[in-house]
């Protein structure tokens, strides 16, 4: 068994031999527990010239409040799952975002809500779609996950299950806002698309890494303005808009859901990171000096290898480039067991925030930030 110093010394020699940076990202000891957290409130045509100072301040304050709710839990040793839920609850209750209260209207003039949550420890998950009276859909998704008999519930069945679990309901008046109703009326009157009306995708989501090394992801949305025929987007589709696996990463997406489903965005990012890390580990093992019999003089342990923030960013960017190639727009937030929290989006802006135990804190809206 290697001591910590021997492990790190071996890692440094191996990284140097491979031509890779010897120092870990953000100068962080890979043996030391770390946490990271990121949230989003939607992506789209979000430009400074289209927002006044008061609106900007309100969005930044809402994002900061949700970020703090999650980071306070993580700093104090709480779980990634609890951090994700705490942040999303605040965003679902805020009418500025298209999730819970403030959700967009379907063609028929109703609010239909989708949500999903996933635990990276064992890939347990819960997802719901088409619910109309559940005050906080993310709590229903979590109850589906905790129950464990099913993963994905829809419509009346999901609402019946919510009743059995004692979840709080709300009347249509709670979810409806005048701005969302006016958007639907414009869409119908001018025969516009949901993108032309909304200019942004207000889906909310959060991803977290806790001090135990566990990751979690959650996402909640009202979908697209004027959606019809029971349309389901990427949010409740595991592997598309929501995904978490302790071995790789946690992802939450926002955007034109049809493209994120086709590109399996969440799973794609995690698989890319799995491949990059595995290749680094294999290359390191191959570079270990051999003894007289041709056997490696020591075995490289997984804890000796870690991915840099640039690797996480590249995987997220590649997935979003794939979405763009298909004709879609939107964005993702990603955390991994290696520590960094990153964003990637191919739109003018994305409501977003992140914080890490390495001291990173950012709350932003526009693409230029």
């Amino acid at each position: 068994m290697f001591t910590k110093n021997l492990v790190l010394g071996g890692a440094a020699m191996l990284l140097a031999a491979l031509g890779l940076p010897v120092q870990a990202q953000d100068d962080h000891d890979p043996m030391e527990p770390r946490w990271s957290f990121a949230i989003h409130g939607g992506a789209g045509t979000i430009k400074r010239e289209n927002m006044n100072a008061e609106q900007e301040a309100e969005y930044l304050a809402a994002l900061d409040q949700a970020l703090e709710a999650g980071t306070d839990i993580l700093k104090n040793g709480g779980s990634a799952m609890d951090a994700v839920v705490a942040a999303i609850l605040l965003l679902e209750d805020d009418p500025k975002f298209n999730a819970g209260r403030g959700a967009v209207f379907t063609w028929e003039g109703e609010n239909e809500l989708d949500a999903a949550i996933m635990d990276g420890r064992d890939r347990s998950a819960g997802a719901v779609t088409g619910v109309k009276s559940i005050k906080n859909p993310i709590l229903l998704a979590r109850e589906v996950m905790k129950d464990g008999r099913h993963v994905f519930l829809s419509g009346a069945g999901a609402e019946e299950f919510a009743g059995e679990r004692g979840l709080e309901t709300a009347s249509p008046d709670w979810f409806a806002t005048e701005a969302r109703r006016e958007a639907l009326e414009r869409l119908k009157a001018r025969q516009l698309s949901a993108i032309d009306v909304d200019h942004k995708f207000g889906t909310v989501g959060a991803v977290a890494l806790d001090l135990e090394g566990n990751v979690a992801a959650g996402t909640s949305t009202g979908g697209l303005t004027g959606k019809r025929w029971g349309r389901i987007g990427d949010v409740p589709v595991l592997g598309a808009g929501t995904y978490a696996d302790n071995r790789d990463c946690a992802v939450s997406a926002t955007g034109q859901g049809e493209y994120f489903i086709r590109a399996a965005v969440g799973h794609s990012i995690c698989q890319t990171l799995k491949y990059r890390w595995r290749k680094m580990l294999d290359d390191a093992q191959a570079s270990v000096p051999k003894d007289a019999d041709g056997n490696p003089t020591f075995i490289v342990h997984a804890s000796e290898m870690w991915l840099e923030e640039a690797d996480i960013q590249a995987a997220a960017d590649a997935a979003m480039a794939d979405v763009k190639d298909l004709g879609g727009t939107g964005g993702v937030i990603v955390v991994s067991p290696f520590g960094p929290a990153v964003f990637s989006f191919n739109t003018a802006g994305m409501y977003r925030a992140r914080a890490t135990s390495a001291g990173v804190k950012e709350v932003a809206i526009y693409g230029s930030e």
Side-chain angles (χ1 to χ4, degrees):
M1 179 69 71
F2 291 100
T3 66
K4 177 179 174 182
N5 289 336
L6 285 174
V7 168
L8 294 178
M13 290 187 290
L14 286 167
L15 290 169
L18 291 166
L20 298 170
V22 172
Q23 191 63 42
Q25 57 90 19
D26 66 43
D27 294 331
H28 189 97
D29 181 343
M31 296 300 208
E32 180 182 329
R34 59 174 68 185
W35 59 264
S36 63
F37 191 56
I39 62 172
H40 70 75
T45 309
I46 307 168
K47 299 179 179 179
R48 288 184 192 276
E49 56 265 34
N50 297 332
M51 189 178 300
N52 61 44
E54 182 180 355
Q55 291 172 323
E56 182 177 301
E58 288 176 353
Y59 273 105
L60 290 173
L63 292 168
D64 186 65
Q65 183 183 19
L67 183 71
E68 288 297 319
T71 55
D72 283 349
I73 290 171
L74 296 172
K75 288 176 184 176
N76 291 303
S79 73
M81 181 61 63
D82 286 344
V84 163
V85 171
I88 293 178
L89 283 174
L90 291 173
L91 298 173
E92 283 183 334
D93 288 346
D94 191 324
K96 290 190 289 297
F97 302 100
N98 174 21
R101 189 181 188 195
V104 300
F105 284 92
T106 67
W107 184 265
E108 292 77 20
E110 296 181 301
N111 305 112
E112 288 185 351
L113 314 171
D114 303 338
I117 200 160
M118 191 163 183
D119 190 333
R121 291 177 296 181
D122 56 3
R123 286 177 285 176
S124 58
V128 295
T129 187
V131 298
K132 301 177 183 179
S133 67
I134 308 306
K135 183 173 181 287
N136 293 109
I138 196 65
L139 293 181
L140 177 53
R142 189 174 189 179
E143 288 301 315
V144 172
M145 179 187 70
K146 288 163 64 177
D147 180 76
R149 287 174 289 179
H150 303 297
V151 170
F152 200 166
L153 301 183
S154 66
E159 303 232 1
E160 180 182 354
F161 174 80
E164 293 179 1
R165 306 296 279 200
L167 293 182
E168 184 177 359
T169 59
S171 69
D173 290 344
W174 166 258
F175 303 106
T177 62
E178 205 50 47
R180 300 300 193 190
R181 196 181 300 279
E182 190 272 336
L184 176 65
E185 291 170 356
R186 279 192 293 120
L187 179 144
K188 289 184 172 182
R190 303 180 193 175
Q191 296 183 336
L192 300 173
S193 72
I195 300 171
D196 293 326
V197 168
D198 290 333
H199 303 297
K200 63 180 181 295
F201 307 96
T203 296
V204 306
V207 291
L209 165 70
D210 63 33
L211 293 174
E212 298 296 320
N214 299 312
V215 300
T219 320
S220 182
T221 188
L224 294 177
T225 298
K227 63 182 180 179
R228 306 179 76 175
W229 310 299
R231 178 263 187 188
I232 300 170
D234 64 307
V235 165
V237 179
L238 301 174
T242 309
Y243 195 71
D245 186 337
N246 272 11
R247 300 172 298 178
D248 314 307
C249 67
V251 181
S252 175
T254 174
Q256 292 172 274
E258 285 73 13
Y259 298 98
F260 284 75
I261 293 171
R262 288 164 59 189
V265 167
H267 190 258
S268 174
I269 292 171
C270 288
Q271 286 297 103
T272 298
L273 293 176
K274 179 184 293 184
Y275 171 79
R276 286 175 183 249
W277 179 78
R278 185 80 244 178
K279 186 177 185 306
M280 179 183 288
L281 191 61
D282 289 345
D283 288 347
Q285 186 60 55
S287 72
V288 170
K290 306 294 193 297
D291 62 20
D293 297 321
N295 299 313
T297 53
F298 63 91
I299 302 299
V300 177
H301 290 269
S303 60
E304 298 178 60
M305 298 286 104
W306 56 89
L307 295 179
E308 302 286 338
E309 181 170 342
D311 296 306
I312 317 299
Q313 188 69 57
D317 290 345
M320 288 310 305
D322 191 24
V323 169
K324 185 177 181 179
D325 287 344
L326 291 175
T329 58
V332 293
I333 53 175
V334 184
V335 300
S336 78
F338 305 100
V342 306
F343 314 111
S344 183
F345 52 99
N346 60 15
T347 55
M350 182 165 81
Y351 299 114
R352 62 198 189 273
R354 63 178 172 177
T356 75
S357 54
V360 171
K361 183 177 181 182
E362 175 186 352
V363 182
I365 297 175
Y366 311 109
S368 58
E369 297 178 288

Coordinates of all heavy atoms in Angstrom, one line a residue, residues 11 14-25 272-288 300-312 338:
A11 N 2.4 9.9 -9.1 CA 1.5 10.6 -10.0 C 2.3 11.7 -10.7 O 2.2 11.9 -11.9 CB 0.3 11.2 -9.3
L14 N 4.6 10.3 -13.3 CA 3.9 9.8 -14.4 C 3.4 10.9 -15.3 O 3.5 10.9 -16.5 CB 2.8 8.9 -14.0 CG 3.2 7.6 -13.4 CD1 2.0 6.9 -12.7 CD2 3.6 6.7 -14.6
L15 N 2.8 12.0 -14.7 CA 2.3 13.1 -15.5 C 3.4 13.8 -16.2 O 3.2 14.2 -17.4 CB 1.5 14.1 -14.5 CG 0.2 13.5 -13.9 CD1 -0.2 14.5 -12.9 CD2 -0.8 13.4 -15.0
A16 N 4.5 13.9 -15.6 CA 5.6 14.6 -16.3 C 6.1 13.7 -17.5 O 6.4 14.2 -18.6 CB 6.8 14.8 -15.3
A17 N 6.1 12.4 -17.3 CA 6.6 11.5 -18.4 C 5.6 11.6 -19.5 O 6.0 11.4 -20.7 CB 6.7 10.1 -17.8
L18 N 4.3 11.8 -19.2 CA 3.3 11.9 -20.3 C 3.2 13.3 -20.9 O 2.4 13.5 -21.8 CB 1.9 11.5 -19.7 CG 1.8 10.0 -19.3 CD1 0.6 9.8 -18.4 CD2 1.7 9.1 -20.5
G19 N 4.0 14.2 -20.4 CA 3.9 15.5 -20.9 C 2.7 16.3 -20.4 O 2.2 17.2 -21.1
L20 N 2.1 15.9 -19.3 CA 0.9 16.5 -18.7 C 1.3 17.4 -17.5 O 2.3 17.2 -16.9 CB -0.1 15.4 -18.3 CG -0.6 14.5 -19.4 CD1 -1.4 13.4 -18.8 CD2 -1.5 15.3 -20.4
P21 N 0.4 18.4 -17.2 CA 0.7 19.2 -16.0 C 0.9 18.4 -14.8 O 0.1 17.5 -14.5 CB -0.5 20.1 -15.9 CG -1.2 20.0 -17.2 CD -0.9 18.7 -17.8
V22 N 2.0 18.7 -14.0 CA 2.2 18.0 -12.8 C 1.3 18.4 -11.7 O 0.8 17.7 -10.9 CB 3.7 18.2 -12.3 CG1 3.9 17.6 -11.0 CG2 4.6 17.6 -13.4
Q23 N 0.9 19.8 -11.7 CA 0.1 20.3 -10.6 C -1.4 20.1 -10.9 O -1.8 20.3 -12.0 CB 0.4 21.8 -10.4 CG -0.2 22.4 -9.2 CD 0.3 21.7 -7.9 OE1 1.5 21.5 -7.8 NE2 -0.5 21.4 -7.0
A24 N -2.1 19.6 -9.9 CA -3.6 19.4 -10.1 C -4.2 20.8 -10.4 O -3.7 21.8 -10.1 CB -4.2 18.8 -8.9
Q25 N -5.4 20.7 -11.1 CA -6.1 22.0 -11.3 C -6.4 22.7 -10.0 O -6.7 22.1 -9.0 CB -7.4 21.7 -12.1 CG -8.4 20.7 -11.5 CD -9.4 21.4 -10.6 OE1 -9.6 22.6 -10.7 NE2 -10.0 20.6 -9.7
T272 N -17.8 10.9 -22.5 CA -16.6 11.5 -23.0 C -15.6 11.6 -21.8 O -14.4 11.3 -22.0 CB -16.9 12.9 -23.6 OG1 -17.7 12.7 -24.7 CG2 -15.6 13.6 -24.0
L273 N -16.0 12.1 -20.7 CA -15.1 12.2 -19.5 C -14.6 10.8 -19.0 O -13.4 10.7 -18.7 CB -15.8 12.9 -18.4 CG -16.2 14.4 -18.6 CD1 -17.0 15.0 -17.5 CD2 -14.9 15.2 -18.9
K274 N -15.5 9.8 -19.1 CA -15.0 8.5 -18.7 C -13.9 8.0 -19.6 O -12.9 7.5 -19.2 CB -16.2 7.5 -18.8 CG -15.8 6.1 -18.4 CD -17.0 5.1 -18.6 CE -18.1 5.4 -17.6 NZ -19.2 4.4 -17.7
Y275 N -14.1 8.2 -20.9 CA -13.0 7.8 -21.9 C -11.7 8.6 -21.6 O -10.6 8.0 -21.6 CB -13.5 8.0 -23.3 CG -12.5 7.8 -24.3 CD1 -12.1 6.5 -24.7 CD2 -11.8 8.9 -24.9 CE1 -11.1 6.4 -25.7 CE2 -10.8 8.7 -25.8 CZ -10.5 7.5 -26.2 OH -9.5 7.3 -27.2
R276 N -11.8 9.9 -21.5 CA -10.6 10.7 -21.3 C -9.8 10.2 -20.0 O -8.6 10.1 -20.0 CB -11.0 12.2 -21.1 CG -11.4 12.9 -22.4 CD -11.8 14.3 -22.2 NE -12.3 14.9 -23.4 CZ -11.7 15.9 -24.0 NH1 -10.6 16.4 -23.5 NH2 -12.2 16.4 -25.1
W277 N -10.6 10.0 -18.9 CA -9.9 9.6 -17.7 C -9.3 8.2 -17.8 O -8.2 8.0 -17.4 CB -10.9 9.7 -16.5 CG -10.3 9.3 -15.2 CD1 -9.5 10.0 -14.4 CD2 -10.5 8.0 -14.6 NE1 -9.2 9.3 -13.3 CE2 -9.8 8.0 -13.4 CE3 -11.2 6.8 -14.9 CZ2 -9.7 7.0 -12.5 CZ3 -11.1 5.8 -14.1 CH2 -10.4 5.8 -12.9
R278 N -10.1 7.3 -18.4 CA -9.6 5.9 -18.6 C -8.3 5.9 -19.4 O -7.4 5.2 -19.2 CB -10.7 5.1 -19.3 CG -10.4 3.6 -19.4 CD -10.6 2.9 -18.1 NE -9.4 2.4 -17.5 CZ -9.3 1.8 -16.4 NH1 -10.4 1.7 -15.6 NH2 -8.2 1.3 -15.9
K279 N -8.3 6.7 -20.5 CA -7.1 6.8 -21.4 C -5.9 7.3 -20.6 O -4.8 6.8 -20.8 CB -7.4 7.6 -22.6 CG -6.3 7.6 -23.6 CD -6.6 8.4 -24.9 CE -5.5 8.2 -25.9 NZ -4.2 8.6 -25.5
M280 N -6.1 8.4 -19.8 CA -5.0 8.9 -19.0 C -4.5 7.9 -18.1 O -3.3 7.7 -17.9 CB -5.5 10.1 -18.2 CG -4.5 10.8 -17.3 SD -5.1 12.2 -16.4 CE -5.3 13.4 -17.6
L281 N -5.4 7.1 -17.4 CA -5.0 6.1 -16.5 C -4.2 5.0 -17.2 O -3.1 4.5 -16.8 CB -6.2 5.5 -15.8 CG -5.9 4.6 -14.6 CD1 -5.2 5.3 -13.5 CD2 -7.3 4.0 -14.1
D282 N -4.7 4.6 -18.4 CA -4.0 3.5 -19.1 C -2.7 4.0 -19.6 O -1.7 3.2 -19.6 CB -4.9 3.1 -20.3 CG -6.1 2.3 -19.9 OD1 -6.2 1.9 -18.7 OD2 -7.1 2.2 -20.7
D283 N -2.6 5.2 -20.1 CA -1.3 5.7 -20.6 C -0.3 5.8 -19.5 O 0.9 5.5 -19.7 CB -1.5 7.1 -21.2 CG -2.2 7.1 -22.6 OD1 -2.4 5.9 -23.1 OD2 -2.7 8.1 -23.1
A284 N -0.8 6.2 -18.3 CA 0.1 6.3 -17.2 C 0.7 5.0 -16.8 O 1.9 4.8 -16.5 CB -0.6 7.0 -16.0
Q285 N -0.2 4.0 -16.7 CA 0.2 2.6 -16.4 C 1.2 2.1 -17.4 O 2.2 1.4 -17.0 CB -1.0 1.7 -16.3 CG -0.6 0.3 -15.8 CD 0.0 0.3 -14.4 OE1 -0.6 0.8 -13.5 NE2 1.2 -0.3 -14.3
A286 N 1.0 2.4 -18.7 CA 1.9 1.9 -19.7 C 3.3 2.5 -19.6 O 4.3 1.9 -20.1 CB 1.3 2.2 -21.1
S287 N 3.4 3.7 -19.0 CA 4.7 4.4 -18.8 C 5.4 4.0 -17.6 O 6.6 4.4 -17.4 CB 4.4 5.9 -18.8 OG 3.9 6.3 -17.6
V288 N 4.8 3.1 -16.7 CA 5.5 2.7 -15.5 C 6.7 1.9 -15.9 O 6.6 1.0 -16.7 CB 4.6 1.9 -14.6 CG1 5.3 1.3 -13.5 CG2 3.4 2.8 -14.1
V300 N -0.5 1.9 -11.0 CA -1.1 3.2 -10.9 C -2.5 3.1 -10.3 O -3.3 2.3 -10.8 CB -1.2 3.9 -12.3 CG1 -1.8 5.3 -12.1 CG2 0.2 4.0 -12.9
H301 N -2.7 3.9 -9.3 CA -4.1 3.9 -8.6 C -4.9 5.0 -9.3 O -4.4 6.0 -9.7 CB -3.9 4.1 -7.1 CG -3.3 2.9 -6.4 ND1 -4.1 1.9 -5.9 CD2 -2.0 2.6 -6.2 CE1 -3.3 1.0 -5.3 NE2 -2.1 1.4 -5.5
A302 N -6.2 4.7 -9.3 CA -7.1 5.7 -9.9 C -7.0 7.1 -9.2 O -7.2 8.1 -9.9 CB -8.6 5.2 -9.7
S303 N -6.7 7.1 -7.9 CA -6.6 8.4 -7.2 C -5.4 9.2 -7.6 O -5.3 10.4 -7.3 CB -6.5 8.1 -5.7 OG -5.4 7.3 -5.4
E304 N -4.5 8.6 -8.4 CA -3.4 9.3 -8.9 C -3.6 10.2 -10.1 O -2.8 11.0 -10.5 CB -2.2 8.4 -9.2 CG -1.7 7.6 -8.0 CD -0.6 6.6 -8.4 OE1 0.4 7.0 -8.9 OE2 -0.8 5.4 -8.2
M305 N -4.8 9.9 -10.8 CA -5.1 10.6 -12.0 C -6.3 11.4 -11.9 O -7.3 11.0 -11.2 CB -5.3 9.5 -13.1 CG -4.1 8.6 -13.5 SD -2.8 9.5 -14.4 CE -1.6 9.8 -13.1
W306 N -6.3 12.6 -12.4 CA -7.5 13.4 -12.4 C -7.6 14.3 -13.6 O -6.6 14.6 -14.3 CB -7.5 14.3 -11.1 CG -6.3 15.2 -11.0 CD1 -6.2 16.4 -11.5 CD2 -5.1 14.9 -10.3 NE1 -4.9 16.9 -11.1 CE2 -4.3 16.0 -10.4 CE3 -4.7 13.7 -9.6 CZ2 -3.0 16.0 -9.9 CZ3 -3.4 13.8 -9.1 CH2 -2.6 14.9 -9.2
L307 N -8.8 14.7 -14.0 CA -9.0 15.5 -15.1 C -9.0 17.0 -14.7 O -9.4 17.3 -13.6 CB -10.3 15.2 -15.8 CG -10.4 13.8 -16.4 CD1 -11.8 13.6 -17.0 CD2 -9.4 13.6 -17.5
E308 N -8.4 17.8 -15.6 CA -8.4 19.3 -15.4 C -9.7 19.9 -15.8 O -10.5 19.3 -16.5 CB -7.2 19.9 -16.2 CG -5.9 19.3 -15.9 CD -5.3 19.8 -14.6 OE1 -5.8 20.8 -14.1 OE2 -4.4 19.1 -14.0
E309 N -9.9 21.1 -15.4 CA -11.1 21.9 -15.8 C -11.2 22.0 -17.3 O -12.3 21.9 -17.8 CB -11.1 23.3 -15.2 CG -12.3 24.1 -15.5 CD -12.5 25.4 -14.7 OE1 -11.8 25.5 -13.7 OE2 -13.3 26.2 -15.2
A310 N -10.1 22.1 -18.0 CA -10.1 22.2 -19.4 C -10.7 20.9 -20.1 O -11.4 21.0 -21.1 CB -8.7 22.5 -20.0
D311 N -10.4 19.8 -19.4 CA -11.0 18.5 -19.9 C -12.5 18.5 -19.8 O -13.2 18.1 -20.7 CB -10.4 17.3 -19.2 CG -8.9 17.2 -19.4 OD1 -8.5 17.1 -20.6 OD2 -8.2 17.1 -18.4
I312 N -13.0 19.0 -18.6 CA -14.5 19.0 -18.4 C -15.1 20.0 -19.4 O -16.1 19.7 -20.0 CB -14.8 19.4 -16.9 CG1 -13.8 18.7 -15.9 CG2 -16.2 19.2 -16.6 CD1 -13.9 17.3 -15.9
F338 N -13.9 15.3 -10.2 CA -12.6 15.9 -10.2 C -12.6 17.4 -9.6 O -11.6 18.0 -9.4 CB -12.0 15.9 -11.6 CG -11.9 14.6 -12.2 CD1 -12.9 14.1 -13.1 CD2 -11.0 13.6 -11.8 CE1 -12.9 12.9 -13.6 CE2 -10.9 12.4 -12.3 CZ -11.9 12.0 -13.3

